[in-house]
Amino acid sequence: MEKEEWFKLKKYPHLGNQISPKNYNDIVKKITNPNFISKHSFSPFIHRIKKTKKYRKEYKDGFIQNNGLRKRSIKLRDLYYSTHIDSLIYSYYSYLLTNKYDIILKKEKISNSITAYRKISKEGNSKNGKCNIDFAHNIFDYIKQNSKKNKNQVVIAFDIKGFFDNLNHKKLKEKWCTTIGKSTLPENYYQVFKNITKFSYVNENQLFNHFNGKLIIERFKDSSRTIKEYKKKKIKNLKYSKSQRVISFCNKKEDLYAIRKAGLIKSNKHIYENGIKAERKKGIPQGSPISATLANIYMLDFDIKMNKEISELGGIYSRYSDDMIVVCDVKYKVQVIAKLTKAIKSVCDLEIQQKKTQIFHFVNNNNRLECYQEFKNHSTINRNLEYLGFQFDGENITIKNSSISAYYGKMFRSVNRSIYYTRKTSNPKTKNKIFKSRLQRKFTSIGGKRILKRVRNPVDKSQFVVIKSYNYGNYLTYVNKSTSVTNNKKIEKQLRNHWKILHLKLEK
């Protein structure tokens, strides 16, 4: 029996046991039953704070500050993970909503303008969907082609302030009803809505400390890797959960009761403003399978309105999550900014993050398309329009410099970590030996191809057995795909020295 598209089992550790594929039929029967969902008691989310380090040059009105030295900053993002059964429920209702939502987009003829969190098939190829590479390339190609008849285009990039955190619950409920064609949410839908807007959660680190790092791991009992056993094991740090095959924080009702009794479960139903307790009326969690779909349907009226109004001005409008971009004639610049800023407030009760709004001018000068960035008091030539991880100067498409830097930063950290552990190990066979092949598979073109994984035959160690699992490649896979889609060889040149840089680092 072929599995449902929405049925995807995750491996992250949570409260309670993971779901076995053997129970597929029973689980699908439950989740697709409205009566089961109407009575289902959703469990607390696990809350994690994701930290992203960024190193950026400082600019003021377009001029580099501090002699170009990069300033380190840390971006914090709150993520919430649901239990495995809850995750499948959210995934199923996301699937139902997406089907209805896509019908509306096609009817309104804006399917290609809303690109995030949707499966958009490539022309003439229903199996392979488009990704950020295709979406960025489409915008850049439009600018290039349109420059032949419009010699002065303007591109305006907008960013929505606190997108997921500021979705109005009342408006979200209204759009949910509109999408499924109901005047009010049926009981099963309302149960999902209620638990995605007014939810409880437990902080991951507090949960780890509560169990003193003793988590449930999965391991194979025999060499054939067919019989599994589960036991508690002391884990030094949460970051080792994947390598230690951690599958759960706990699996007993008594443990869940102890978590609640210890006061670790927190509610998101209320907010405190100036010391006064009030009901939370905005925000949904990032991380659940349905959050992205809800964000899309929330923006539906705005997307239809802006696409219509920008099209009437001879331009195009596109939105990828909270990143919006408009391409139009320069004479409509002020009008477009005013329209979009006003509409996002009146239609969506959201705001534009003014400091992140960027304006680029693409001017056709002697058959060469040049890119200028507009600042408060001047414009600067030879700038790059950045969109969805790529940059465009009017002629060439390349990967963002910060992405390349992040790749090399990850490479250097992996090498340093390998050196540290090979010196510290007590195993005489691996002492002072670096496994170069592992680093090469991770960071070079050697590991850049998608191949079936192979493991040693448990009976005959000299033989290898192909298992139904893929090595999906590495960053070079993404680079090669970017080159293929954009047909721009400059992307390949950005990483032409990756092999040399890795081995110079290893020699040091």
Side-chain angles (χ1 to χ4, degrees):
M1 184 179 180
E2 190 175 343
K3 286 186 179 180
E4 297 286 349
E5 184 182 332
W6 54 268
F7 191 93
K8 295 176 182 177
L9 295 180
K10 304 294 183 179
K11 291 291 185 180
Y12 56 79
H14 213 288
L15 306 173
N17 293 329
Q18 293 194 4
I19 294 172
S20 171
K22 296 177 182 178
N23 301 326
Y24 171 76
N25 290 330
D26 291 337
I27 294 167
V28 170
K29 191 175 179 180
K30 282 182 179 180
I31 292 174
T32 55
N33 182 354
N35 292 329
F36 172 80
I37 302 301
S38 300
K39 298 172 183 176
H40 177 69
S41 179
F42 285 79
S43 300
F45 284 90
I46 284 184
H47 172 232
R48 177 187 301 169
I49 298 176
K50 184 180 179 181
K51 297 179 181 179
T52 306
K53 294 179 183 176
K54 294 190 175 183
Y55 299 87
R56 288 179 174 173
K57 294 177 182 178
E58 285 189 279
Y59 290 88
K60 186 175 180 181
D61 294 331
F63 297 104
I64 295 178
Q65 306 295 303
N66 301 324
N67 296 319
L69 292 176
R70 295 179 184 271
K71 185 179 179 181
R72 179 176 177 266
S73 63
I74 296 177
K75 183 179 180 180
L76 303 179
R77 179 174 293 173
D78 293 295
L79 298 176
Y80 296 85
Y81 299 93
S82 51
T83 59
H84 298 290
I85 184 67
D86 290 352
S87 178
L88 286 174
I89 292 170
Y90 288 134
S91 184
Y92 173 63
Y93 278 82
S94 173
Y95 169 76
L96 295 178
L97 271 172
T98 299
N99 288 340
K100 299 280 188 182
Y101 174 71
D102 282 345
I103 292 171
I104 297 172
L105 292 186
K106 287 176 183 176
K107 182 182 176 182
E108 297 292 340
K109 298 180 180 179
I110 60 168
S111 187
N112 290 325
S113 297
I114 318 305
T115 53
Y117 317 126
R118 296 177 55 234
K119 186 176 180 181
I120 303 175
S121 299
K122 290 188 176 182
E123 291 78 6
N125 189 340
S126 58
K127 289 185 178 180
N128 296 328
K130 291 183 179 181
C131 64
N132 68 302
I133 305 170
D134 299 281
F135 304 140
H137 179 242
N138 288 345
I139 293 293
F140 300 149
D141 190 55
Y142 174 86
I143 295 169
K144 215 167 186 177
Q145 296 302 320
N146 202 45
S147 68
K148 295 173 183 177
K149 58 181 180 180
N150 188 343
K151 295 194 174 183
N152 199 342
Q153 299 173 91
V154 67
V155 180
I156 313 165
F158 302 90
D159 188 86
I160 302 173
K161 188 176 180 180
F163 189 34
F164 287 90
D165 295 334
N166 288 301
L167 300 186
N168 184 293
H169 293 167
K170 185 179 178 182
K171 286 181 177 289
L172 177 61
K173 189 179 177 184
E174 290 172 358
K175 290 316 303 171
W176 198 327
C177 290
T178 302
T179 304
I180 62 174
K182 302 284 184 181
S183 58
T184 184
L185 286 179
E187 197 173 345
N188 55 321
Y189 277 91
Y190 181 71
Q191 185 74 345
V192 177
F193 167 79
K194 186 172 65 175
N195 285 280
I196 202 69
T197 53
K198 305 287 194 299
F199 57 90
S200 59
Y201 64 95
V202 55
N203 287 318
E204 188 179 51
N205 290 326
Q206 290 182 344
L207 196 59
F208 181 80
N209 294 333
H210 176 77
F211 291 108
N212 297 315
K214 289 184 179 179
L215 309 183
I216 299 168
I217 67 161
E218 171 191 75
R219 71 176 189 179
F220 294 103
K221 290 182 70 174
D222 59 343
S223 59
S224 64
R225 299 172 68 87
T226 54
I227 303 173
K228 296 178 182 179
E229 68 172 355
Y230 306 95
K231 56 178 280 187
K232 281 204 170 186
K233 181 181 178 181
K234 178 87 172 179
I235 307 298
K236 186 178 179 181
N237 195 299
L238 264 174
K239 66 182 180 181
Y240 303 128
S241 295
K242 188 175 181 180
S243 62
Q244 294 295 316
R245 299 179 67 87
V246 175
I247 63 163
S248 180
F249 286 92
C250 63
N251 61 3
K252 296 179 181 178
K253 288 185 178 179
E254 299 86 64
D255 289 337
L256 293 171
Y257 175 76
I259 292 168
R260 190 174 295 278
K261 192 175 180 181
L264 297 183
I265 298 177
K266 299 176 174 61
S267 174
N268 196 54
K269 293 179 182 178
H270 298 95
I271 189 172
Y272 289 87
E273 295 176 341
N274 301 322
I276 300 172
K277 187 177 180 181
E279 185 182 359
R280 185 182 294 273
K281 296 181 180 179
K282 290 184 178 183
I284 60 173
Q286 285 192 66
S288 85
I290 199 172
S291 295
T293 304
L294 293 179
N296 267 345
I297 67 170
Y298 184 89
M299 298 292 291
L300 188 55
D301 289 343
F302 173 82
D303 290 331
I304 293 170
K305 177 180 174 63
M306 293 314 302
N307 185 76
K308 181 177 181 295
E309 293 185 2
I310 301 301
S311 296
E312 287 173 352
L313 298 177
I316 60 167
Y317 161 82
S318 182
R319 181 177 65 81
Y320 190 97
S321 188
D322 58 348
D323 290 325
M324 298 177 289
I325 197 164
V326 172
V327 184
C328 63
D329 193 289
V330 68
K331 64 185 177 184
Y332 298 122
K333 182 190 74 172
V334 176
Q335 188 178 344
V336 165
I337 294 173
K339 277 178 178 289
L340 199 141
T341 306
K342 183 181 178 181
I344 198 113
K345 182 65 179 174
S346 60
V347 178
C348 302
D349 193 24
L350 294 170
E351 292 180 33
I352 296 297
Q353 197 161 190
Q354 298 292 345
K355 65 179 182 180
K356 286 193 174 182
T357 299
Q358 293 182 307
I359 302 170
F360 297 87
H361 294 262
F362 284 88
V363 181
N364 200 331
N365 189 7
N366 294 325
N367 293 322
R368 178 178 173 81
L369 193 58
E370 296 175 339
C371 179
Y372 296 77
Q373 185 171 2
E374 179 183 320
F375 296 97
K376 192 174 182 179
N377 298 315
H378 71 286
S379 293
T380 304
I381 195 173
N382 297 328
R383 301 289 291 186
N384 288 312
L385 165 64
E386 293 185 353
Y387 187 57
L388 303 184
F390 293 87
Q391 52 193 28
F392 178 59
D393 63 1
E395 293 293 324
N396 296 298
I397 302 170
T398 51
I399 294 174
K400 277 175 63 175
N401 294 330
S402 58
S403 298
I404 303 295
S405 298
Y407 158 77
Y408 281 119
K410 191 174 181 181
M411 175 196 287
F412 295 160
R413 287 192 297 274
S414 291
V415 172
N416 291 336
R417 193 159 54 243
S418 298
I419 293 168
Y420 173 80
Y421 283 115
T422 195
R423 287 174 178 169
K424 293 289 182 181
T425 184
S426 57
N427 188 340
K429 291 183 179 180
T430 58
K431 187 79 173 176
N432 294 325
K433 289 183 180 179
I434 295 177
F435 295 96
K436 288 185 179 181
S437 58
R438 290 182 185 176
L439 293 168
Q440 288 171 345
R441 282 197 301 272
K442 195 172 182 180
F443 295 107
T444 74
S445 51
I446 288 177
K449 291 183 179 179
R450 184 188 183 196
I451 57 172
L452 277 167
K453 289 182 182 177
R454 301 190 304 159
V455 295
R456 288 190 185 276
N457 190 322
V459 179
D460 184 357
K461 298 288 185 182
S462 64
Q463 302 269 331
F464 284 91
V465 179
V466 173
I467 57 175
K468 290 184 179 180
S469 180
Y470 280 96
N471 169 19
Y472 285 96
N474 55 27
Y475 189 69
L476 273 298
T477 312
Y478 176 75
V479 171
N480 292 336
K481 186 174 181 179
S482 300
T483 304
S484 174
V485 171
T486 63
N487 197 27
N488 200 310
K489 297 295 182 183
K490 284 223 168 187
I491 293 175
E492 279 185 348
K493 291 181 179 179
Q494 287 181 284
L495 286 163
R496 64 182 179 275
N497 292 324
H498 73 275
W499 180 274
K500 181 180 178 181
I501 290 169
L502 172 63
H503 288 82
L504 281 173
K505 181 70 176 175
L506 287 170
E507 285 174 16
K508 287 183 181 180

